[in-house]
Amino acid sequence: MRYLSLIILLLPVAAICNAQKLMGFTDGDAANQTKWEKQFDAQLNVKNLDTWMKFLSSHPHHVGSPQDKANAEYMADLFSQWGYQTEIASYYVLFPTPVIRELELTGSKPFRAKLEEPALKGDKTTGQASEQLPSYNAYSADGDVTAEPVYVNQGLPSDYDELERMGIDVRGKIVIARYGGSWRGIKPKVAAEHGAVGCIIYSDPEEDGYARGDVYPEGAFRPGEGVQRGSVMDMPVYPGDPLTPGTAATKDAKRLKRNDAVTIMKIPVLPVSWEDALPLLKSLGGRVAPFSWRGALPITYHIGPGKEKVHLRLQFNWDLKQLYDVIAKLPGTEFPDEWIIRGNHHDAWVNGAGDPVSGIVSEMEEARVISGLVKNGLKLKRTLVYCAWDGEEPGLLGSTEWTEDHQAELRKKAVLYLNTDANSRGFIYASGSQTLEPFFNEITDDVIDPQTGVSIKERKYALDIVSAGQAARVNLNGNRNVELSALGAGSDWSGFLQLLGIASLNIGFGGEGEGGEYHSIYDSYEHFIRFTDPGFQYGIALAETAGRAMMRMANADVLPFDVNTFYKTVAGYVTEVKTLTDNSRSATEEENMMIRDNLFALATDPLNKLKSPEIKDPVPYLNFSDLENALVQLRDTTGEFHKLYNNALLLPPDRQKELNEILFTVERSLLYDKGLPGRPWYKHQIYAPGYYTGYGVKTLPGIREAIEQRKWQEAQENIEIVSKTLEGYNLQVQHAMKILRF
Ligand SMILES: [Zn+2]
């Protein structure tokens, strides 16, 4: 009898333990949601990914090309067939295409660069020369310059510091930089700041060519004549159409004159293959490049300047081109004015099977299956908005113009923006607003890695722990949390996150589908199915991951935002900027002492001299107290909120709605209307692309970059701005607490 009652007592507990818990769902709703997710997985059809990729990558489909428009119409048709309210939103943007491209070496061994990627027999679409954009960097300046060349390694600010010590001045020179180390647009920007008159960027085989693996078509890597196209627009200042910053590029929009658009590069810049770069590099004399500056070419790398001059001539057609964003909505049943937004771009530099088609076909399959479930009875409380962006490659044009166009509505309605881009075989990676970290982690428990049969979280954990150093491994041991890294730039989230303060996620798989096809004519269907994601297994895994995120966010009773994770992450950033200041202070003191003691002069090889660096101003003590105080408040409120979060599941519906509105708009309180120093478009005070790194994120950018650039007063001002920002965030959480304590 006693035994029996024990069983009866334990039974409900066991039943609850078996049922899956989902953040923000009551147990009953979680069980229902999980049931629909199983059906979702079962209906994903790999054949669709293959069919759509064949079509979408069948011809070059850059901005302004016939296939770009055809692809948008093809996708819009499908979304409509699936029951989405679909429209194509059009904008008119400045998109330069090349008219003249000439690069030659003059002098005793003249050479003229081919600037052409040869077609390959086994890969049909590589032969569509008449439809392909030639290799170029979009938003380079027009120019006709002849000058001595100088090799500047990756062309980063630190490379110019070293050049300075070598006594090499690039004023009036054409610099040759290799790809890598930063976003490409940083290279000509820093070159121009140092007075260079032209910039050539080449793909060293060390980066993605024969030094990494067999080259295409034998292997996946970049062949000798392969070129990486790409934009050099100064996106860290503002992304989107250069002529309409902050406003939508509609037909009759007020436009800047081209000369007044600061995001257009100041000097001509051209990307080339290593085969075209080699004769130029060989012509360089002067000092031998430092060890870390050498790539994998079979030459001794010299810095120059070269004895033989380089002639670079570029001219572009600066027409406006039409963009086609596909926007497809599935209205929510209970909260149609709360939007869960999903996006991936559809434009490519050439055929773009990997970038971006691998991502967009997965998004389409996800959208198709969800709409099918809805027809079969799945109720989605919130509205889903599926987007296929145009013009991402030249400068996040389509997504930026659309977010600028719908600012007011998006500020009110947007709950989440979920972005994907090129996808490949390997491990889950994710970046985004840290409030979403626990929510995202639940999803990674439920998606199975197609190659190993364990969850994508387990697989990521294995990678992290195997590749970590010994010290980091101790910290990781047992901690399976998939951390969300911070978002900089690089794909279509900028308008959502950094302009409008919409919580955002960027996710994908990668790490095992590496190759050298990026932004070349070799990013083709053939290349993709051989090397990147054969069988589209990870295309399906991506749909399972993103689809869950969309459906859970659309259906949660209480939105799954965890403000406490945000607090913890920001506290970490604050520690970092304080350490950065302290380290900068001691490094400055040390270096100044070494300069005063003449140590640099004595340590350098007299036959190969390096100049002593200049004495630097000492680093003052900054006052972080307001920031620390704001953090303490935030720790307490978000900690308490975290503890009480589950109480929200018991709230009456109207109170729950009120709470949800606070939760999804809390990210907006991280915006500062005047934006970041020198770049008012970027309003988010926690995340921004680095002014001198491009893709690379800077967290607490206003403070961190001021410290890095030794602008102490600006650093102090930004400490105050961020303190106020966090106080505002804290107020929002306090409002939420009032509702929780009903
Ligand atoms: Zn892309």
Side-chain angles (χ1 to χ4, degrees), residues 68-82:
D68 177 70
K69 181 170 184 244
N71 281 356
E73 285 164 354
Y74 177 85
M75 288 182 286
D77 259 6
L78 286 171
F79 277 108
S80 300
Q81 283 172 34
W82 299 330

Side-chain angles (χ1 to χ4, degrees), residues 22-26 29 442 555-560 645-646 649:
L22 290 184
M23 187 177 174
F25 287 79
T26 63
D29 288 347
E442 281 188 343
N555 262 351
D557 299 302
V558 180
L559 286 172
Y645 176 83
N646 279 331
L649 292 169

Side-chain angles (χ1 to χ4, degrees), residues 345 355-356 392-393 421-422:
H345 70 100
D355 182 5
E392 187 269 355
E393 293 295 359
D421 203 320

Side-chain angles (χ1 to χ4, degrees), residues 24-35:
F25 287 79
T26 63
D27 289 350
D29 288 347
N32 190 39
Q33 186 78 7
T34 318
K35 189 192 81 192

Side-chain angles (χ1 to χ4, degrees), residues 551-628:
M551 290 189 287
R552 287 185 191 181
M553 199 53 91
N555 262 351
D557 299 302
V558 180
L559 286 172
F561 286 83
D562 182 28
V563 289
N564 192 234
T565 310
F566 170 75
Y567 154 73
K568 287 179 189 160
T569 314
V570 170
Y573 297 156
V574 171
T575 307
E576 280 172 27
V577 290
K578 283 162 62 188
T579 310
L580 177 67
T581 319
D582 291 341
N583 289 350
S584 170
R585 183 177 309 109
S586 49
T588 302
E589 280 169 10
E590 261 170 37
E591 192 182 280
N592 285 350
M593 199 147 66
M594 293 191 292
I595 297 168
R596 289 199 184 97
D597 291 349
N598 207 28
L599 301 186
F600 284 100
L602 294 174
T604 189
D605 177 350
L607 300 181
N608 206 5
K609 262 192 191 162
L610 287 178
K611 274 200 261 174
S612 188
E614 303 278 326
I615 294 268
K616 292 193 179 83
D617 288 341
V619 177
Y621 283 86
L622 298 172
N623 184 352
F624 285 97
S625 61
D626 284 346
L627 195 50
E628 312 257 26

